[in-house]
Amino acid sequence: MKPAGKHRTVAEAEPADAGREADAGSQPASKRGRYAWIGTAASLVLILASLGVLWKLSGEISWAELRTAFTAVAAGRLGEAFLFVAVSYLFLTCYDALALRQLRLKMPYRITALASFTSYAVSFTLGFPLITAATIRYWIYSKRGLSAAKIAALTVIAGFTFWLGMGVVLGFSLIIEAGQLASLTFQSIGVNTTARLNQILGFGTLGLVLGYLAWVSVKRRYIKVRHWQLELPGATVSFSQMIVGIGDVCAAAAVLYMLMPEGMNLAFTTFLAIYVLAAMLGIASNAPGGIGVFEATILLALSYLPREAVLGSLLLFRVCYYVVPFVLALLMLGLYEALQRLRRRRAANDP
């Protein structure tokens, strides 16, 4: 079954068509394009407000206290944190694998893992994932015959995986730890929410996820990505996306949970809801790695703990989850390019 109209699915598109369609897409902007600045302005407001909160919260912290908090994590907990970093990035490689399956494309897992790991590690640190991650994916996948349109589709489908996992984790956390989260909200920002309200929000979030799964289960669904129509994954792939997304989010939250100071006394499910909310706000800000926004949210939520200890844990989390994978990704990309050049040279010299 093919979609009606002039649009073609990404899976059917040929590279030559992409250029012709791109020219069509460069015509005068639509009404939607006129208001594109609103999203940018909202992101800037969110970043500036969060940086202001972060500056105020950290104003009374001395560098000596911060250095002490940074080095207070036991070696065993640091090792566990790096283990969860590896688990999280392993789940991230499944994002691309599921997207390739949806697009009915075969790719060796080593290539999928390389493209996925390096694109996420670089985009998490540099920000602007639609540019940085897409560039790295194109660099690797295009050498395997994938067109720009298919790589763009892969990126979009991978994004659905992330948000499905986020939605499920946030929903269950709000339901299971409704009372504890209400207490934390009152302690951190003085807003008196109730456990019932948190449960309603949790069930509402899960309802949206289940509604999406039901929507894609009834028949084939398509969304427009600029000038292409992209077929959304059906129920089977979407459910797999949800499981992978849950695993990734839980592993990433576990990294920070392992690095938190003693005396936090929070169940992991409660901390998970705080982490997901902070991550969502960080993504909405479009700042590299949600920097500033993510930290401000965590500091507010855990305001009953010493600020220098929490900020030290957050800085260590940045090093473990962002800086180390970023450096490793750059080394892997350099090695991959060197091997590619060596193979081309050998092929040219082979009679």
Side-chain angles (χ1 to χ4, degrees), residues 107-253:
M107 187 72 59
Y109 177 72
R110 67 182 186 277
I111 301 299
T112 303
L114 175 67
S116 184
F117 170 75
T118 54
S119 62
Y120 283 114
V122 171
S123 65
F124 284 168
T125 303
L126 299 183
F128 309 103
L130 291 179
I131 299 174
T132 52
T135 300
I136 292 175
R137 280 194 175 104
Y138 182 79
W139 180 18
I140 296 174
Y141 285 134
S142 62
K143 295 176 181 178
R144 295 279 170 165
L146 269 65
S147 66
K150 291 178 181 178
I151 295 170
L154 183 151
T155 304
V156 171
I157 295 172
F160 274 92
T161 305
F162 173 80
W163 286 107
L164 282 173
M166 278 283 197
V168 173
V169 170
L170 180 62
F172 275 116
S173 297
L174 286 170
I175 295 169
I176 296 171
E177 300 293 345
Q180 181 76 352
L181 289 171
S183 176
L184 282 174
T185 303
F186 180 76
Q187 291 177 20
S188 58
I189 58 176
V191 176
N192 189 15
T193 61
T194 63
R196 178 65 59 85
L197 176 61
N198 287 336
Q199 289 178 335
I200 291 173
L201 292 174
F203 280 114
T205 304
L206 290 179
L208 289 175
V209 174
L210 292 175
Y212 172 80
L213 291 177
W215 183 63
V216 297
S217 300
V218 175
K219 64 177 183 179
R220 292 182 179 181
R221 302 290 185 178
Y222 299 88
I223 60 171
K224 291 182 180 180
V225 182
R226 291 182 63 85
H227 42 275
W228 301 111
Q229 283 200 100
L230 172 64
E231 181 183 353
L232 292 176
T236 302
V237 176
S238 294
F239 185 77
S240 300
Q241 287 179 302
M242 187 177 70
I243 298 300
V244 168
I246 291 171
D248 166 42
V249 172
C250 290

Side-chain angles (χ1 to χ4, degrees), residues 43 46 124 129 162-163 166 276-287 289-291 293-294:
S43 298
L46 182 57
F124 284 168
F162 173 80
W163 286 107
M166 278 283 197
V276 170
L277 177 61
M280 285 181 168
L281 290 175
I283 293 168
S285 72
N286 283 322
I291 192 167
V293 182
F294 180 83

Side-chain angles (χ1 to χ4, degrees), residues 24-37 224 226-227:
S26 62
Q27 298 300 316
S30 63
K31 290 183 179 180
R32 182 176 56 185
R34 297 174 186 173
Y35 302 101
W37 62 270
K224 291 182 180 180
R226 291 182 63 85
H227 42 275

